Every structure is written in structure tokens, then in C-alpha cells.
Amino acid sequence: HLFVSQALKEAIEKFLKVKELKPTWIENVLYYAKALAAKDSKSNKEEISKELKQAAEMTPENDADRKAQEEVKELLRKKYAK
């Protein structure tokens, strides 16, 4: 359990660093939100929702981003709609 927690913490840090370098990379935002949810979806719900809403409004740059954005919108509908 400790290893998983540490791995999630490291993943979140890396996703954040990438987000600083390329804030419009939808796929990265999606995985960042998923990592936050895996760590603690209840206490991170506001942050997850904010990130997903921003990603839903971004302009996809390629097919991977388009697919990621579809998943973002699905997550918003199913789990993070307010």
C-alpha cells in the first residue's frame, strides 16, 4: 500500500510538471485527474472537476487528445457533474 501511495504521489508530481510545460495537453490533464482520483477522490473532487472542465474546453491537437477529451467529457458527465 505504501508503494502504491508513493507511486501515485510521484505520478501526480510528474503530471503537474508536464502540465506546467504544456498546459493544453488534454491527455496529460486526463491522467493527472485520474491519478488524483486514485489517490483520494473525495478530498480531490474539486480539483479533479476543475481540471476536467478545463480539459473539456481545450482544443484537441491530435487524435490522442480527441480521444482523451471524449473520456474527459464522459468522466464529467458520470462522476464530476455539479
Side-chain angles (χ1 to χ4, degrees):
H1 183 72
L2 181 62
F3 175 75
V4 172
S5 295
Q6 185 61 31
L8 274 172
K9 182 181 175 191
E10 289 174 14
I12 288 168
E13 289 171 4
K14 288 178 182 177
F15 290 131
L16 272 174
K17 285 180 185 175
V18 171
K19 192 170 175 282
E20 288 174 16
L21 296 172
K22 192 169 181 189
T24 60
W25 186 11
I26 298 168
E27 196 173 14
N28 183 66
V29 176
L30 171 62
Y31 290 122
Y32 170 59
K34 285 182 169 188
L36 285 175
K39 185 177 180 209
D40 186 349
S41 62
K42 286 185 182 179
S43 65
N44 291 320
K45 189 170 185 172
E46 258 184 58
E47 175 74 9
I48 295 165
S49 180
K50 181 187 88 162
E51 293 292 336
L52 291 175
K53 285 176 184 174
Q54 288 175 355
E57 298 299 319
M58 293 176 187
T59 302
E61 296 179 13
N62 53 47
D63 285 341
D65 265 358
R66 276 185 276 286
K67 288 178 184 175
Q69 194 173 54
E70 288 174 19
E71 191 172 344
V72 162
K73 290 177 180 178
E74 187 71 17
L75 278 171
L76 277 171
R77 276 192 298 274
K78 289 185 174 183
K79 295 186 179 184
Y80 299 98
K82 283 192 175 182

